[in-house]
Amino acid sequence: DQLRPAYEAVKDSVRESNVIYCDETGFPVDGDQHWAWTFVTDEDVFYTIDESRGSQVLEDVLGDELAEDATLSCYGWSAYPAYHPKLQRCWAHLLREAEFVADRYKEAQQLCEELHELHDDLTTFTERDPSASARQEKRAEAMLHLEGLTRQEYANKEVTDLIEKIRNGLGHWLTLVTEPEVDSTNNRAERALREQVVLRKIFRSLRSADGVRIHETITTMLATWQRRGLDPPSQLQS
């Protein structure tokens, strides 16, 4: 109970951030499927557990309308574009899927190589801290490249499914080029969510609404204190 105001303050801090890394994973509560959500910024790690995996959770945590210039980093789950238009889709997910398909189908090998080369090129480009106009030009160039990849025809369904994934996210793969603060991957959220996965494996399920409230509050504060370079035992004592 004493931690709950601090928990709500972390949520308020997340809402004010320009870049928010999001992810979710299944987390049983009293035998029913629930979802553990995480929202990560430079200084905050916020957890909430909800029976929904829909965009309503995003509204509950981030507000009815997120600031227009804010970016959500995520993978391809439909709740995110349903809530906010400015996204950065995770390249790590895309490249892993491309490698998996390329290992199975020879026709996807060139596609996989081009995606890796494009990601490496964009990473090198952004590390040089280019001007805003150069970023716009690079994004347009990269968009043409991606669009060209989606126009190629393939025989195998798994390869065409990958192409469809690229096509569906065309407006969201390249936000990192014009937004210097945005990572190309959603690794920050995945690392934060891994803590919840470990805990789920240890005790398998939460048992009640009170248990959910206690769990999300304590894990949020421990993770946030660590992210801010604070000592959790000292913070708990205070």
Side-chain angles (χ1 to χ4, degrees):
D1 291 339
Q2 288 176 309
L3 281 177
R4 197 67 183 188
Y7 173 84
E8 295 296 337
V10 172
K11 180 167 70 173
D12 291 340
S13 179
V14 168
R15 287 184 174 191
E16 296 173 359
S17 301
N18 290 329
V19 185
I20 306 169
Y21 299 84
C22 313
D23 205 352
E24 78 288 332
T25 189
F27 208 115
V29 177
D30 195 26
D32 294 327
Q33 179 70 300
H34 284 58
W35 301 90
W37 292 73
T38 188
F39 301 84
V40 180
T41 69
D42 286 342
E43 294 193 347
D44 307 300
V45 179
F46 184 82
Y47 295 116
T48 187
I49 296 176
D50 199 284
E51 60 185 356
S52 172
R53 199 186 179 192
S55 58
Q56 181 59 49
V57 180
L58 295 166
E59 292 182 18
D60 292 342
V61 174
L62 301 176
D64 294 338
E65 292 185 7
L66 195 63
E68 289 185 6
D69 59 346
T71 301
L72 291 184
S73 174
C74 58
Y75 65 108
W77 181 237
S78 60
Y80 297 104
Y83 169 70
H84 188 65
K86 189 175 181 182
L87 309 176
Q88 173 59 56
R89 291 278 296 272
C90 180
W91 276 83
H93 280 83
L94 177 63
L95 295 177
R96 283 198 298 266
E97 186 170 336
E99 291 168 3
F100 175 79
V101 175
D103 286 341
R104 293 166 60 85
Y105 303 104
K106 186 175 180 179
E107 65 173 351
Q109 292 176 359
Q110 180 63 32
L111 170 63
C112 181
E113 290 177 7
E114 289 198 45
L115 288 173
H116 274 280
E117 290 173 359
L118 178 59
H119 178 257
D120 291 344
D121 178 54
L122 295 178
T123 300
T124 301
F125 171 79
T126 56
E127 287 175 349
R128 294 198 295 263
D129 193 22
S131 65
S133 60
R135 287 177 177 275
Q136 291 288 351
E137 291 177 7
K138 188 68 173 180
R139 180 167 180 166
E141 173 189 311
M143 179 63 78
L144 289 174
H145 192 165
L146 282 178
E147 288 176 343
L149 293 178
T150 63
R151 295 192 188 101
Q152 298 180 29
E153 295 185 0
Y154 297 92
N156 294 284
K157 184 179 185 303
E158 287 186 65
V159 187
T160 58
D161 286 346
L162 176 60
I163 289 295
E164 188 65 19
K165 178 176 183 174
I166 298 171
R167 184 182 294 113
N168 290 340
L170 274 177
H172 304 138
W173 296 115
L174 302 172
T175 305
L176 70 110
V177 182
T178 48
E179 300 293 336
E181 298 178 348
V182 177
D183 296 343
S184 65
T185 73
N186 197 32
N187 288 345
R188 296 196 202 190
E190 286 197 356
R191 285 194 295 268
L193 204 60
R194 194 172 299 131
E195 298 293 331
Q196 297 292 329
V197 173
V198 171
L199 292 171
R200 181 188 66 200
K201 289 181 177 180
I202 291 172
F203 52 74
R204 297 186 180 274
S205 175
L206 296 170
R207 299 298 182 189
S208 65
D210 284 343
V212 166
R213 184 172 181 270
I214 292 168
H215 177 82
E216 65 186 11
T217 302
I218 292 178
T219 56
T220 289
M221 296 316 304
L222 292 176
T224 295
W225 287 331
Q226 289 177 329
R227 191 162 191 84
R228 295 177 182 179
L230 301 173
D231 180 55
S234 299
Q235 295 300 313
L236 282 170
Q237 287 175 346
S238 70

